[in-house]
Amino acid sequence: MKTAHSAPSNELDSSAIDLKVGNDTDISTFSSTSNSAEDPKIDGGSLFAYRVPSRTKDAWKTDPWTRSVIATGFRVKGQLGNMINPGAPGFCYTFYPTKDGPRLNDDGRRSRPLIGIAGDCAEAAYILRPIDGERDNNAIHPDESTKYALMCDIDCGATVGSIGVSYDDFSFVEQQSGYAKIYIPCFEKDKVLVFAMGSVDNDEKNDDVDDGW
């Protein structure tokens, strides 16, 4: 799975689920592929973001919706026992590392959420974290709010159709209260994996942002 930043709009026939990333940005997962010659940034199943036009009250009805590629390169892992193959990735979810939700950045804007992706027939789950960087001048529709990087890739060895997020303490296991717990069902294995987020000392990190991982 690769992360990307921006791409031109074109038509895709696929179902999607939309969730909020920024003030005016929705995200969608698509398991179909487009012509790579037309759009070299798309390589297999992809996660897209669409900026909702806000020039006027009814701009969303008439103005173009800018599409950006958040992540691409999801691949199906074919199994003999997997007769139903809906593709990859599956559903996506936005959440924050702690139950306190977003924090205010130095510029007064709210922090962006993490993105959890169920790989479905890619037999994995993924967590993406927001990143800041220089604007991509080569992109057709640059959108800074859609820049994300892969934080973890969890190989499950089974179909992961969806994931769950909770902030309650999990059983009696030692953990930091208030941080997200990520539940990943592994369909063919009849198991649910649970991962807990938490804080680390700043001197162990490369930056001053506690993203919870």
Side-chain angles (χ1 to χ4, degrees), residues 30-99:
F30 285 80
S31 57
S32 60
T33 58
S34 67
N35 189 334
S36 60
E38 295 177 0
D39 192 348
K41 290 184 176 65
I42 297 177
D43 179 24
S46 302
L47 175 66
F48 298 145
Y50 289 86
R51 177 163 289 279
V52 181
S54 57
R55 180 178 54 86
T56 63
K57 179 180 178 181
D58 294 325
W60 63 274
K61 298 179 181 179
T62 57
D63 289 2
W65 289 42
T66 300
R67 190 185 77 183
S68 298
V69 181
I70 296 179
T72 190
F74 296 94
R75 295 283 187 270
V76 169
K77 293 183 179 179
Q79 300 289 346
L80 292 177
N82 184 9
M83 302 303 294
I84 300 176
N85 189 337
F91 293 109
C92 64
Y93 311 82
T94 57
F95 65 99
Y96 288 91
T98 71
K99 63 181 180 182

Coordinates of all heavy atoms in Angstrom, one line a residue, residues 30-99:
F30 N -12.4 3.1 -2.6 CA -12.9 2.4 -3.8 C -12.0 1.2 -4.1 O -10.8 1.2 -3.9 CB -12.7 3.4 -5.0 CG -13.7 4.5 -5.1 CD1 -13.6 5.6 -4.3 CD2 -14.8 4.4 -5.9 CE1 -14.5 6.6 -4.4 CE2 -15.7 5.4 -6.0 CZ -15.6 6.5 -5.2
S31 N -12.7 0.1 -4.4 CA -11.9 -1.1 -4.7 C -11.7 -1.4 -6.2 O -11.1 -2.3 -6.6 CB -12.7 -2.3 -4.1 OG -14.0 -2.4 -4.5
S32 N -12.3 -0.5 -7.0 CA -12.1 -0.7 -8.5 C -10.9 0.1 -8.9 O -10.4 1.0 -8.2 CB -13.3 -0.3 -9.3 OG -13.6 1.1 -9.0
T33 N -10.3 -0.2 -10.0 CA -9.1 0.5 -10.5 C -9.4 1.3 -11.7 O -10.3 1.0 -12.5 CB -8.0 -0.5 -10.8 OG1 -8.5 -1.4 -11.8 CG2 -7.6 -1.3 -9.6
S34 N -8.7 2.4 -11.9 CA -8.9 3.3 -13.1 C -7.7 3.0 -14.0 O -6.8 2.3 -13.7 CB -8.9 4.7 -12.7 OG -7.7 5.1 -12.2
N35 N -7.8 3.6 -15.2 CA -6.7 3.5 -16.2 C -5.4 4.2 -15.7 O -5.4 5.4 -15.5 CB -7.2 4.1 -17.5 CG -6.2 3.8 -18.6 OD1 -5.0 3.6 -18.4 ND2 -6.7 3.8 -19.8
S36 N -4.4 3.4 -15.4 CA -3.2 4.0 -14.8 C -2.5 5.0 -15.8 O -1.8 5.9 -15.4 CB -2.2 2.9 -14.4 OG -1.8 2.1 -15.5
A37 N -2.8 4.8 -17.1 CA -2.2 5.7 -18.1 C -2.8 7.0 -18.0 O -2.1 8.1 -18.2 CB -2.4 5.1 -19.5
E38 N -4.1 7.1 -17.6 CA -4.8 8.4 -17.5 C -4.4 9.0 -16.1 O -4.3 10.2 -16.0 CB -6.3 8.2 -17.5 CG -6.8 7.7 -18.9 CD -8.3 7.5 -18.8 OE1 -8.9 7.7 -17.7 OE2 -8.9 7.1 -19.8
D39 N -4.2 8.2 -15.1 CA -3.9 8.7 -13.8 C -2.8 7.8 -13.1 O -3.1 6.9 -12.4 CB -5.1 8.7 -12.9 CG -5.0 9.5 -11.6 OD1 -3.8 9.8 -11.3 OD2 -6.0 9.8 -11.0
P40 N -1.5 8.1 -13.3 CA -0.5 7.3 -12.8 C -0.4 7.2 -11.3 O 0.3 6.3 -10.8 CB 0.8 7.9 -13.4 CG 0.4 9.3 -13.7 CD -1.0 9.3 -14.0
K41 N -1.1 8.1 -10.6 CA -1.0 8.1 -9.1 C -1.9 7.0 -8.5 O -1.8 6.7 -7.4 CB -1.4 9.5 -8.6 CG -0.4 10.6 -8.8 CD -0.8 11.9 -8.1 CE 0.3 12.9 -8.3 NZ 0.4 13.3 -9.7
I42 N -2.8 6.4 -9.4 CA -3.7 5.4 -8.9 C -3.1 4.0 -9.3 O -2.9 3.8 -10.5 CB -5.1 5.6 -9.4 CG1 -5.7 6.9 -8.9 CG2 -6.0 4.4 -9.0 CD1 -7.0 7.2 -9.4
D43 N -3.0 3.1 -8.3 CA -2.4 1.8 -8.6 C -3.1 0.8 -7.7 O -2.7 0.5 -6.6 CB -0.9 1.8 -8.2 CG -0.2 0.5 -8.5 OD1 -0.8 -0.3 -9.3 OD2 0.8 0.2 -7.9
G44 N -4.2 0.3 -8.3 CA -5.0 -0.7 -7.5 C -6.1 0.0 -6.7 O -6.5 1.1 -6.9
G45 N -6.6 -0.7 -5.7 CA -7.6 -0.2 -4.8 C -7.0 1.1 -4.1 O -5.9 1.2 -3.8
S46 N -7.9 2.1 -3.9 CA -7.4 3.4 -3.4 C -8.3 4.0 -2.4 O -9.5 3.7 -2.3 CB -7.3 4.3 -4.6 OG -6.4 3.8 -5.6
L47 N -7.8 5.0 -1.7 CA -8.6 5.8 -0.7 C -8.5 7.2 -1.3 O -7.4 7.8 -1.4 CB -7.9 5.7 0.7 CG -8.6 6.7 1.7 CD1 -10.0 6.2 2.0 CD2 -7.7 6.7 3.0
F48 N -9.7 7.8 -1.6 CA -9.8 9.1 -2.1 C -10.4 10.1 -1.1 O -11.1 9.7 -0.2 CB -10.7 9.1 -3.4 CG -10.3 8.3 -4.5 CD1 -11.2 7.6 -5.3 CD2 -8.9 8.2 -4.8 CE1 -10.7 6.8 -6.4 CE2 -8.5 7.4 -5.9 CZ -9.4 6.7 -6.6
A49 N -10.1 11.4 -1.3 CA -10.7 12.4 -0.6 C -11.4 13.4 -1.6 O -10.7 13.7 -2.6 CB -9.7 13.2 0.3
Y50 N -12.6 13.9 -1.3 CA -13.2 14.8 -2.1 C -13.5 16.1 -1.3 O -14.1 16.0 -0.3 CB -14.6 14.3 -2.7 CG -14.4 13.2 -3.7 CD1 -14.2 11.8 -3.3 CD2 -14.4 13.5 -5.0 CE1 -14.1 10.8 -4.2 CE2 -14.3 12.5 -6.0 CZ -14.1 11.2 -5.6 OH -13.9 10.2 -6.5
R51 N -13.0 17.2 -1.8 CA -13.3 18.5 -1.2 C -14.7 19.0 -1.6 O -14.9 19.2 -2.8 CB -12.2 19.5 -1.5 CG -12.5 20.9 -0.8 CD -11.3 21.8 -0.8 NE -10.3 21.3 0.2 CZ -10.4 21.5 1.5 NH1 -11.4 22.2 2.0 NH2 -9.5 21.0 2.4
V52 N -15.5 19.3 -0.6 CA -16.9 19.7 -0.9 C -16.8 21.2 -1.2 O -16.3 22.0 -0.4 CB -17.8 19.5 0.3 CG1 -19.2 20.0 -0.1 CG2 -17.8 18.0 0.7
P53 N -17.3 21.7 -2.4 CA -17.3 23.1 -2.8 C -18.0 23.9 -1.8 O -19.1 23.6 -1.4 CB -17.9 23.1 -4.2 CG -17.8 21.7 -4.7 CD -17.8 20.8 -3.5
S54 N -17.5 25.1 -1.4 CA -18.1 25.9 -0.4 C -18.1 27.4 -0.8 O -18.3 28.3 0.0 CB -17.5 25.8 1.0 OG -16.1 26.1 0.9
R55 N -17.9 27.6 -2.1 CA -17.9 29.0 -2.6 C -19.2 29.8 -2.3 O -19.2 30.9 -1.9 CB -17.6 29.0 -4.1 CG -17.5 30.4 -4.8 CD -17.2 30.2 -6.2 NE -18.1 29.3 -6.9 CZ -19.3 29.7 -7.4 NH1 -19.6 31.0 -7.3 NH2 -20.1 28.9 -8.0
T56 N -20.3 29.1 -2.5 CA -21.6 29.6 -2.1 C -22.4 28.5 -1.4 O -22.0 27.4 -1.3 CB -22.4 30.1 -3.4 OG1 -22.6 28.9 -4.2 CG2 -21.6 31.1 -4.2
K57 N -23.6 28.8 -1.0 CA -24.4 27.9 -0.2 C -24.7 26.7 -1.0 O -24.7 25.5 -0.5 CB -25.7 28.6 0.2 CG -26.7 27.7 1.0 CD -28.0 28.4 1.3 CE -28.9 27.5 2.1 NZ -30.2 28.2 2.4
D58 N -25.0 26.8 -2.3 CA -25.4 25.7 -3.2 C -24.2 25.3 -4.1 O -24.4 24.6 -5.1 CB -26.6 26.1 -4.0 CG -27.8 26.3 -3.2 OD1 -28.0 25.6 -2.2 OD2 -28.6 27.2 -3.5
A59 N -23.0 25.7 -3.8 CA -21.9 25.4 -4.7 C -21.6 23.9 -4.8 O -21.2 23.4 -5.8 CB -20.6 26.0 -4.2
W60 N -22.0 23.1 -3.8 CA -21.8 21.7 -3.8 C -22.6 21.0 -4.9 O -22.3 19.9 -5.4 CB -22.1 21.0 -2.5 CG -23.6 21.2 -2.1 CD1 -24.1 22.2 -1.4 CD2 -24.6 20.2 -2.3 NE1 -25.5 22.0 -1.2 CE2 -25.8 20.8 -1.7 CE3 -24.6 19.0 -2.9 CZ2 -27.0 20.1 -1.8 CZ3 -25.8 18.3 -2.9 CH2 -27.0 18.9 -2.4
K61 N -23.7 21.7 -5.4 CA -24.5 21.1 -6.4 C -23.9 21.3 -7.8 O -24.2 20.5 -8.7 CB -25.9 21.8 -6.3 CG -26.6 21.6 -5.0 CD -28.0 22.3 -5.1 CE -28.8 22.1 -3.8 NZ -30.1 22.9 -3.8
T62 N -23.2 22.4 -8.0 CA -22.8 22.8 -9.4 C -21.3 22.8 -9.6 O -20.8 22.6 -10.7 CB -23.3 24.2 -9.7 OG1 -22.9 25.1 -8.7 CG2 -24.9 24.2 -9.7
D63 N -20.5 23.2 -8.5 CA -19.0 23.3 -8.7 C -18.4 21.9 -8.7 O -18.9 21.0 -8.1 CB -18.4 24.2 -7.6 CG -18.8 25.6 -7.7 OD1 -19.6 25.9 -8.7 OD2 -18.4 26.4 -6.9
P64 N -17.2 21.8 -9.3 CA -16.4 20.5 -9.3 C -16.0 20.2 -7.9 O -15.6 21.1 -7.1 CB -15.2 20.8 -10.2 CG -15.6 22.0 -11.0 CD -16.5 22.8 -10.1
W65 N -16.0 18.9 -7.6 CA -15.5 18.4 -6.3 C -14.0 17.9 -6.6 O -13.8 17.0 -7.3 CB -16.3 17.2 -5.8 CG -17.7 17.6 -5.4 CD1 -18.6 18.5 -5.9 CD2 -18.4 17.1 -4.2 NE1 -19.7 18.6 -5.2 CE2 -19.6 17.7 -4.1 CE3 -18.0 16.1 -3.3 CZ2 -20.6 17.4 -3.1 CZ3 -18.9 15.9 -2.3 CH2 -20.2 16.5 -2.2
T66 N -13.1 18.6 -5.9 CA -11.7 18.2 -6.1 C -11.4 16.9 -5.4 O -11.7 16.7 -4.3 CB -10.8 19.3 -5.5 OG1 -11.0 20.5 -6.1 CG2 -9.3 18.9 -5.7
R67 N -10.8 16.0 -6.2 CA -10.4 14.7 -5.7 C -8.9 14.6 -5.4 O -8.1 15.0 -6.3 CB -10.9 13.6 -6.7 CG -10.7 12.2 -6.0 CD -11.0 11.1 -7.0 NE -9.9 10.8 -7.9 CZ -10.0 10.0 -8.9 NH1 -11.1 9.3 -9.2 NH2 -8.9 9.8 -9.7
S68 N -8.6 14.0 -4.3 CA -7.2 13.7 -4.0 C -7.0 12.2 -3.6 O -7.9 11.6 -3.1 CB -6.7 14.6 -2.8 OG -6.8 16.0 -3.1
V69 N -5.9 11.7 -3.9 CA -5.6 10.3 -3.6 C -4.8 10.3 -2.2 O -3.7 10.8 -2.1 CB -4.7 9.6 -4.7 CG1 -4.4 8.2 -4.3 CG2 -5.4 9.7 -6.0
I70 N -5.4 9.7 -1.2 CA -4.8 9.6 0.1 C -3.9 8.4 0.1 O -2.7 8.5 0.6 CB -5.8 9.5 1.2 CG1 -6.6 10.9 1.3 CG2 -5.1 9.3 2.6 CD1 -7.7 10.8 2.4
A71 N -4.3 7.3 -0.4 CA -3.5 6.0 -0.4 C -4.0 5.2 -1.6 O -5.1 5.2 -1.9 CB -3.7 5.3 0.9
T72 N -3.0 4.4 -2.1 CA -3.3 3.6 -3.2 C -2.4 2.3 -3.2 O -1.5 2.3 -2.4 CB -3.2 4.3 -4.6 OG1 -3.7 3.5 -5.6 CG2 -1.7 4.7 -4.8
G73 N -2.7 1.4 -4.1 CA -1.9 0.2 -4.1 C -2.4 -1.0 -3.3 O -1.6 -1.9 -3.0
F74 N -3.7 -1.0 -2.9 CA -4.2 -2.1 -2.1 C -4.4 -3.3 -3.1 O -5.0 -3.1 -4.2 CB -5.6 -1.7 -1.5 CG -5.5 -0.6 -0.5 CD1 -5.6 0.7 -0.8 CD2 -5.2 -0.9 0.8 CE1 -5.5 1.7 0.1 CE2 -5.1 0.1 1.8 CZ -5.2 1.4 1.4
R75 N -4.0 -4.5 -2.7 CA -4.1 -5.7 -3.5 C -4.8 -6.8 -2.8 O -4.7 -7.0 -1.6 CB -2.7 -6.2 -3.8 CG -1.8 -5.2 -4.6 CD -2.2 -5.3 -6.1 NE -1.3 -4.5 -6.9 CZ -1.5 -3.2 -7.2 NH1 -2.5 -2.5 -6.7 NH2 -0.7 -2.6 -8.0
V76 N -5.6 -7.5 -3.6 CA -6.4 -8.7 -3.1 C -5.4 -9.9 -3.0 O -4.6 -10.1 -3.8 CB -7.5 -9.0 -4.0 CG1 -8.2 -10.4 -3.7 CG2 -8.6 -7.9 -4.0
K77 N -5.5 -10.6 -1.8 CA -4.8 -11.8 -1.7 C -5.8 -13.0 -1.8 O -6.6 -13.3 -0.9 CB -4.2 -11.9 -0.3 CG -3.1 -10.9 -0.1 CD -2.4 -11.0 1.3 CE -1.3 -10.0 1.5 NZ -0.7 -10.1 2.8
G78 N -5.7 -13.6 -3.0 CA -6.7 -14.7 -3.3 C -6.5 -15.9 -2.4 O -5.3 -16.4 -2.3
Q79 N -7.5 -16.5 -1.9 CA -7.5 -17.7 -1.1 C -8.5 -18.7 -1.6 O -9.6 -18.3 -2.0 CB -7.7 -17.4 0.4 CG -6.7 -16.4 1.0 CD -5.4 -17.0 1.2 OE1 -5.2 -18.2 1.1 NE2 -4.4 -16.2 1.5
L80 N -8.1 -20.0 -1.5 CA -9.1 -21.0 -2.0 C -10.4 -21.0 -1.2 O -11.4 -21.3 -1.7 CB -8.4 -22.4 -1.9 CG -7.3 -22.6 -2.9 CD1 -6.7 -24.0 -2.7 CD2 -7.7 -22.5 -4.3
G81 N -10.3 -20.7 0.1 CA -11.4 -20.7 0.9 C -12.2 -19.4 0.9 O -13.3 -19.3 1.5
N82 N -11.7 -18.4 0.2 CA -12.4 -17.1 0.1 C -13.2 -17.0 -1.2 O -12.7 -16.5 -2.2 CB -11.4 -16.0 0.2 CG -12.1 -14.6 0.3 OD1 -13.3 -14.5 0.4 ND2 -11.3 -13.6 0.2
M83 N -14.4 -17.6 -1.2 CA -15.2 -17.6 -2.4 C -15.9 -16.3 -2.7 O -16.2 -16.0 -3.9 CB -16.3 -18.7 -2.3 CG -15.8 -20.1 -2.0 SD -14.6 -20.6 -3.3 CE -15.7 -20.7 -4.7
I84 N -16.1 -15.5 -1.7 CA -16.7 -14.1 -1.9 C -15.5 -13.1 -1.8 O -14.9 -13.0 -0.8 CB -17.7 -13.8 -0.8 CG1 -18.9 -14.8 -0.9 CG2 -18.3 -12.4 -1.0 CD1 -19.9 -14.7 0.2
N85 N -15.3 -12.4 -2.9 CA -14.1 -11.5 -3.0 C -14.6 -10.1 -3.4 O -14.6 -9.8 -4.5 CB -13.1 -12.1 -4.0 CG -11.8 -11.3 -3.9 OD1 -11.7 -10.2 -3.5 ND2 -10.7 -12.0 -4.4
P86 N -14.9 -9.3 -2.4 CA -15.4 -7.9 -2.7 C -14.3 -6.9 -3.1 O -14.6 -5.8 -3.5 CB -16.1 -7.5 -1.4 CG -15.3 -8.2 -0.4 CD -14.9 -9.5 -0.9
G87 N -13.0 -7.3 -3.0 CA -11.9 -6.4 -3.4 C -11.2 -5.9 -2.2 O -11.4 -6.3 -1.1
A88 N -10.4 -4.8 -2.5 CA -9.7 -4.2 -1.4 C -9.5 -2.7 -1.8 O -9.3 -2.4 -3.0 CB -8.3 -4.9 -1.2
P89 N -9.5 -1.8 -0.8 CA -9.7 -2.0 0.6 C -11.2 -2.1 0.9 O -12.1 -2.0 0.0 CB -9.1 -0.8 1.2 CG -9.3 0.3 0.2 CD -9.2 -0.4 -1.1
G90 N -11.5 -2.2 2.2 CA -12.9 -2.2 2.7 C -13.3 -0.8 3.2 O -12.9 0.2 2.6
F91 N -14.0 -0.8 4.3 CA -14.4 0.5 4.9 C -13.3 1.3 5.5 O -12.3 0.7 5.9 CB -15.5 0.2 6.0 CG -16.8 -0.3 5.5 CD1 -17.1 -1.7 5.7 CD2 -17.6 0.4 4.7 CE1 -18.3 -2.2 5.3 CE2 -18.8 -0.1 4.2 CZ -19.2 -1.4 4.5
C92 N -13.5 2.6 5.6 CA -12.5 3.4 6.3 C -13.2 4.2 7.4 O -14.4 4.4 7.4 CB -11.8 4.4 5.3 SG -12.9 5.6 4.5
Y93 N -12.4 4.6 8.4 CA -12.9 5.2 9.6 C -12.0 6.3 10.0 O -10.8 6.2 9.9 CB -13.0 4.2 10.7 CG -13.7 2.9 10.4 CD1 -13.0 1.9 9.7 CD2 -15.1 2.7 10.6 CE1 -13.7 0.7 9.3 CE2 -15.7 1.5 10.3 CZ -15.0 0.5 9.6 OH -15.6 -0.6 9.2
T94 N -12.5 7.4 10.5 CA -11.7 8.5 11.1 C -11.9 8.4 12.6 O -13.0 8.2 13.1 CB -12.1 9.9 10.6 OG1 -13.4 10.1 10.8 CG2 -11.8 9.9 9.1
F95 N -10.8 8.6 13.4 CA -10.8 8.7 14.8 C -9.6 9.4 15.4 O -8.6 9.6 14.6 CB -10.9 7.2 15.4 CG -9.6 6.4 15.1 CD1 -8.7 6.3 16.1 CD2 -9.4 5.8 13.9 CE1 -7.5 5.5 15.9 CE2 -8.3 5.0 13.7 CZ -7.3 4.9 14.7
Y96 N -9.7 9.8 16.6 CA -8.6 10.5 17.3 C -7.9 9.5 18.3 O -8.5 8.6 18.8 CB -9.1 11.7 18.0 CG -9.5 12.8 17.0 CD1 -10.8 12.9 16.6 CD2 -8.5 13.7 16.6 CE1 -11.1 13.9 15.7 CE2 -8.9 14.7 15.7 CZ -10.2 14.8 15.2 OH -10.5 15.8 14.3
P97 N -6.6 9.8 18.6 CA -5.8 8.9 19.4 C -6.4 8.8 20.8 O -6.3 7.7 21.5 CB -4.4 9.5 19.5 CG -4.3 10.3 18.3 CD -5.7 10.8 18.0
T98 N -7.1 9.8 21.3 CA -7.7 9.8 22.7 C -9.1 10.2 22.6 O -9.6 10.8 21.6 CB -6.9 10.7 23.6 OG1 -7.2 12.1 23.3 CG2 -5.4 10.5 23.6
K99 N -9.8 9.9 23.7 CA -11.3 10.3 23.8 C -11.5 11.8 23.9 O -12.6 12.2 23.7 CB -11.9 9.6 24.9 CG -11.4 9.9 26.3 CD -12.1 9.2 27.4 CE -11.6 9.5 28.8 NZ -12.3 8.7 29.8

